[in-house]
Amino acid sequence: MRSFTCLSVALLGCLVVAGETARAEFFTPISLADSANGRIQSLHPEYPSGTGVDLGGVPFDIPSVGPNTWFATFASGGTSASVSKTIPIGMTGVTGVHTLINTLWGRAGTPSLASLTFTYDDGSTFVKPLVGDSDIRDYYQNVFTNTINNTTTFRVFFTDTDGPAGPNRYRLDKQFVDLAAFSSKTLVSMRLNDFGNELVQRTFISGLTVQTVPEPSALALTALGGAALLIRLRRSSTRRAD
């Protein structure tokens, strides 16, 4: 009986850990190598790169070699054309996304000159406006837009030295978009839409990480398996006692 009790306690402990793991949120960095048309290091060589780079407590994959950033200004060819970039995702259980987006130049307030469109497998979409001086701002400090809301957008990187744009510091901001209301669907893609213009506002994105939670079925299977094992252990213990 004592052996059974110890095993029961140990198994219950494992189930508790499994439950906590199932409730935990996981991060999946998505490389932009296939979507990029430039390197963020062209703005300043100190900008980070690598696999699993921790920025604001979230891992990002920013390729160390080759293109690693999508610049709207390059996509537009220096014209006033509206441009966009769609990044495939194809994941279920997505509760949010973390992005690294700043602007060249920038315009404050609404109507916004940029947005994110999230497309799901049932054809539905969710659009998140990116408002200057709240959600996004100029990468170069003290010129154009300079503030963020510090609730869903945070600064996660600052340079220490001067760069091509001048002596002010160069920054990188992280946005979080809450998608928990749509987590039962499969998130097919995210599209960055840019409606700006040269010397007004042009966005660039250098990082995307998807935040997910395991499907409830995974926890249910773990619980059922644990319960079945407990029953077998109890029956085996009873037979030995007889």
Side-chain angles (χ1 to χ4, degrees):
M1 181 62 70
R2 182 177 179 181
S3 176
F4 169 71
T5 301
C6 292
L7 285 171
S8 299
V9 171
L11 184 56
L12 286 172
C14 290
L15 288 174
V16 170
V17 172
E20 291 299 324
T21 300
R23 287 192 293 271
E25 290 166 321
F26 296 89
F27 299 113
T28 303
I30 296 179
S31 172
L32 301 183
D34 293 336
S35 303
N37 57 10
R39 286 184 60 76
I40 190 172
Q41 286 75 23
S42 67
L43 300 177
H44 197 294
E46 286 184 11
Y47 274 118
S49 65
T51 301
V53 179
D54 188 319
L55 294 169
V58 176
F60 289 91
D61 285 354
I62 306 173
S64 300
V65 178
N68 59 16
T69 298
W70 182 80
F71 290 90
T73 188
F74 295 162
S76 71
T79 70
S80 61
S82 295
V83 293
S84 65
K85 188 57 173 181
T86 298
I87 303 169
I89 296 177
M91 296 176 65
T92 303
V94 176
T95 57
V97 298
H98 299 263
T99 57
L100 300 175
I101 300 175
N102 280 88
T103 63
L104 304 178
W105 316 295
R107 191 185 75 180
T110 56
S112 66
L113 294 178
S115 65
L116 294 172
T117 300
F118 300 91
T119 300
Y120 291 89
D121 57 340
D122 63 356
S124 62
T125 59
F126 171 69
V127 178
K128 164 61 179 174
L130 298 175
V131 179
D133 264 345
S134 179
D135 302 300
I136 51 177
R137 63 179 173 180
D138 189 5
Y139 78 101
Y140 183 57
Q141 183 174 271
N142 297 330
V143 182
F144 291 93
T145 46
N146 278 289
T147 63
I148 49 177
N149 57 41
N150 286 310
T151 55
T152 56
T153 299
F154 297 91
R155 177 176 58 79
V156 293
F157 181 80
F158 237 178
T159 62
D160 293 322
T161 61
D162 297 349
N168 289 323
R169 300 182 75 178
Y170 297 62
R171 56 200 171 198
L172 191 60
D173 297 323
K174 182 184 77 67
Q175 298 78 26
F176 173 71
V177 182
D178 187 347
L179 299 175
F182 314 102
S183 61
S184 61
K185 305 178 183 183
T186 297
L187 178 57
V188 176
S189 63
M190 182 192 83
R191 184 175 74 246
L192 172 57
N193 311 291
D194 189 297
F195 315 111
N197 199 350
E198 301 299 290
L199 300 178
V200 178
Q201 177 180 289
R202 282 302 192 188
T203 56
F204 64 86
I205 178 170
S206 55
L208 170 62
T209 293
V210 178
Q211 180 175 303
T212 60
V213 294
E215 296 182 12
S217 57
L219 178 58
L221 288 173
T222 302
L224 287 173
L229 182 56
L230 278 173
I231 292 172
R232 290 180 60 186
L233 288 171
R234 187 181 182 92
R235 287 175 177 172
S236 176
S237 178
T238 301
R239 284 197 295 270
R240 287 199 299 270
D242 293 341

